[in-house]
């Protein structure tokens, strides 16, 4: 119904935003990750919205970017994940962290969201793995997935080593995304760089 609403912030809580536009105050449900990034009251912001209409409720859900709104729409399309469940996930982790978790198959990271069990997390991964791409620096899941090509053996071995050292698949993938493989680099050299990167994440 509304693509976005641009207005003045009147009130912010950890899960709700009141935005005034043309003398109308809109109650917009937001994930905690959005609440943390909003400027203070009195500031003007543009919020991309999703309208949820049910027999007993009419609610707006808001995000700071079209990209975040799109990942939200993908989440609510997953069987068993409604608007509130999707909001819970995006409150527990950023949209980019969710993408990394999906690409990495990291159900444990997703299931940390309140109300999301391991089975729901696995369903999200199963249904969205082919639909979600890591957009940071225009790196797609096909580019980052170390198992996609035989030429990335060093990355694959380093990735497995990181996971065996106790790092989550999501953390390992984030580190791998930032490494540029040059000729002559073996898995040991890649692992060394990855460990340095992870220490800064």
């Amino acid at each position: 119904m509304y693509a976005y609403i641009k207005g003045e912030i009147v009130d912010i809580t950890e899960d709700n935003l009141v935005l005034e536009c043309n003398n109308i105050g809109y109650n917009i449900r937001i994930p905690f990750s959005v609440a943390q990034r909003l400027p203070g009251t009195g500031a003007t912001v543009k919020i991309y919205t999703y309208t949820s209409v049910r027999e007993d409720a009419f609610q707006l859900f808001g995000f700071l970017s079209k990209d975040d709104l799109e990942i939200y729409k993908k989440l609510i399309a997953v069987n068993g994940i409604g608007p509130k469940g999707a909001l819970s996930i995006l409150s527990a982790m950023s949209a980019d962290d969710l993408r990394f978790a999906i690409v990495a198959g990291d159900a444990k990271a997703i299931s940390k969201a309140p109300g999301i069990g391991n089975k729901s997390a696995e369903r999200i991964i199963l249904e969205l793995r082919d639909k979600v791409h890591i957009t940071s620096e225009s790196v797609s899941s096909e580019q980052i997935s170390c198992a996609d090509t035989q030429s990335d053996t060093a990355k694959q071995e380093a990735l497995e080593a990181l996971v065996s050292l106790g790092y989550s698949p999501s953390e390992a993938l984030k580190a791998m995304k930032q490494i540029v493989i040059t000729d002559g680099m073996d898995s040991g050299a890649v692992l060394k760089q990855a460990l340095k990167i992870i220490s800064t994440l």
Side-chain angles (χ1 to χ4, degrees), residues 8-13 16-20 25-28:
E8 181 182 325
I9 297 173
V10 176
D11 187 41
I12 308 169
T13 65
N16 195 76
L17 166 69
V18 178
L19 199 65
E20 184 177 333
Y26 293 90
N27 263 318
I28 304 172

Side-chain angles (χ1 to χ4, degrees), residues 150-158 175-176 178-197:
Q150 292 182 349
S151 62
D152 286 333
T153 303
K155 268 192 174 183
Q156 176 62 32
E157 290 176 355
M176 288 297 145
Q178 298 181 48
I179 296 173
V180 177
I181 301 291
T182 58
D183 289 338
M185 281 184 72
D186 60 12
S187 58
V190 176
L191 178 60
K192 190 174 181 180
Q193 280 196 33
L195 288 168
K196 286 182 181 178
I197 291 168

Side-chain angles (χ1 to χ4, degrees), residues 15-52:
D15 64 354
N16 195 76
L17 166 69
V18 178
L19 199 65
E20 184 177 333
C21 177
N22 294 325
N23 297 316
I24 299 173
Y26 293 90
N27 263 318
I28 304 172
R29 296 289 308 277
I30 55 173
F32 183 60
S33 57
V34 168
Q36 289 179 308
R37 288 153 50 204
L38 285 171
T41 56
T44 299
V45 292
K46 184 177 184 178
I47 300 293
Y48 294 90
T49 57
Y50 172 80
T51 307
S52 173

Side-chain angles (χ1 to χ4, degrees), residues 68-95:
D68 287 357
L69 175 59
E70 287 309 309
I71 194 75
Y72 178 78
K73 287 179 179 178
K74 285 181 171 68
L75 275 174
I76 61 174
V78 174
N79 186 31
I81 307 294
K84 289 183 180 178
L87 198 70
S88 175
I89 292 168
L90 291 174
S91 290
M93 60 199 314
S94 70

